[in-house]
Amino acid sequence: MTLREALRWAFTHSNNPTDPTVRIDLEHLLSHVLQQPRSYLHTWPDKALTLPEETLFLDSVKQHQQGTPLAYLIGKQAFWSLNFYVSPAVLIPRADTEVLIQLALEKLPSTPIQVLELGTGSGCIAVTLAHERPDWQILSCDVSADALQIAEKNRARYQLTNLQFRHSHWYDAVDATQFDLIISNPPYIADDDAHLRDLLPHEPLLALTAGADGLNALRHIIQHATHYLKPAAYLILEMGYDQADGVRDLLKMADFFNIHIHHDIAGRARAVSAQASK
């Protein structure tokens, strides 16, 4: 089977052969199997696959058709200006989360500051900030040891010396340092949310759900944040599209000020920024 024949077979047998993005996904899968860039497929379309390559490609196509995300199959995902290793131990970085990066870079100076990230997962937020702001000192935590292995792999990929990962359930292993910024993309889906069936069983439940109202993690982060923030320091959080009012109320009860709701690329409420009481 040549590269052209493999792609044609996979495309015609896909769940949605009229979707143009399917072919792009299949090209990513095949280039991953070959360990070659996508351009290689178009340069050498008549090159024959070896039997192991053909077997691996067809197996990957089958898994993708059964719902396994492309990022898990190829082991990587783009985020901001970087590429990240991923595995089923971590959430796949999403473009919506880039609003957190934009807010942090806009609101904080490029000069040396102390940053705490909670619930790092793949490390995409912490690694991106450390890469963009080499003078920032960043401590990033997660309760999952498996997730921290992926995050550390991503830190090492970009040889970042201003970023440290720590095993911690939220603030439990964090010293009483006064941070200039706390940032987090915590779990915020309600336990019985219908959207969960689209994410499971592939992405980790631990990183998705947060109690009956989806606010348990956000509530905990907000209630304890002022013990770790300098006066007027920033708290930047991702949240669900329908949680703006609830998160705003939690911030007000914790004496935060300058509270603003921010929207993602689709125009949905996606993040909140606020400052700790002076």
Side-chain angles (χ1 to χ4, degrees), residues 16 21 38 59 100 120 122 126 129 135-136 140 142 163 170 235 257:
N16 190 5
T21 63
R38 280 177 61 207
D59 181 61
L100 300 184
T120 194
S122 67
L129 291 180
D135 286 334
W136 290 8
S140 187
D142 204 289
L163 170 59
W170 304 126
L235 178 64
F257 71 100

Side-chain angles (χ1 to χ4, degrees), residues 54 56 81 95 105 124 142 159 183 203 228 242 259:
E54 182 177 324
L56 179 57
S81 61
L105 298 181
C124 65
D142 204 289
Q159 300 179 329
I183 190 166
E203 298 195 77
Y228 298 88
D242 58 350
I259 302 168

Side-chain angles (χ1 to χ4, degrees), residues 178-249:
Q178 293 292 288
F179 292 94
D180 300 278
L181 166 67
I182 295 177
I183 190 166
S184 180
N185 174 20
Y188 52 74
I189 299 177
D191 291 345
D192 60 354
D193 193 298
H195 294 93
L196 276 176
R197 64 172 172 263
D198 298 325
L199 300 170
L200 298 174
H202 303 290
E203 298 195 77
L205 184 65
L206 179 67
L208 293 168
T209 60
D213 60 0
L215 291 173
N216 282 1
L218 286 160
R219 187 178 291 113
H220 182 85
I221 291 170
I222 292 169
Q223 288 176 347
H224 296 275
T226 52
H227 299 298
Y228 298 88
L229 288 169
K230 296 177 182 177
Y234 276 94
L235 178 64
I236 297 176
L237 303 169
E238 184 167 332
M239 62 186 179
Y241 71 94
D242 58 350
Q243 294 176 328
D245 290 341
V247 172
R248 187 186 287 110
D249 289 343

Side-chain angles (χ1 to χ4, degrees), residues 1-9 30 34 41 44-50 54 57:
M1 184 181 288
T2 66
L3 305 189
R4 180 190 287 112
E5 290 169 342
L7 285 172
R8 184 184 298 124
W9 181 91
L30 185 53
L34 299 172
L41 309 180
W44 306 101
D46 296 318
K47 182 184 183 300
L49 290 162
T50 66
E54 182 177 324
F57 177 63

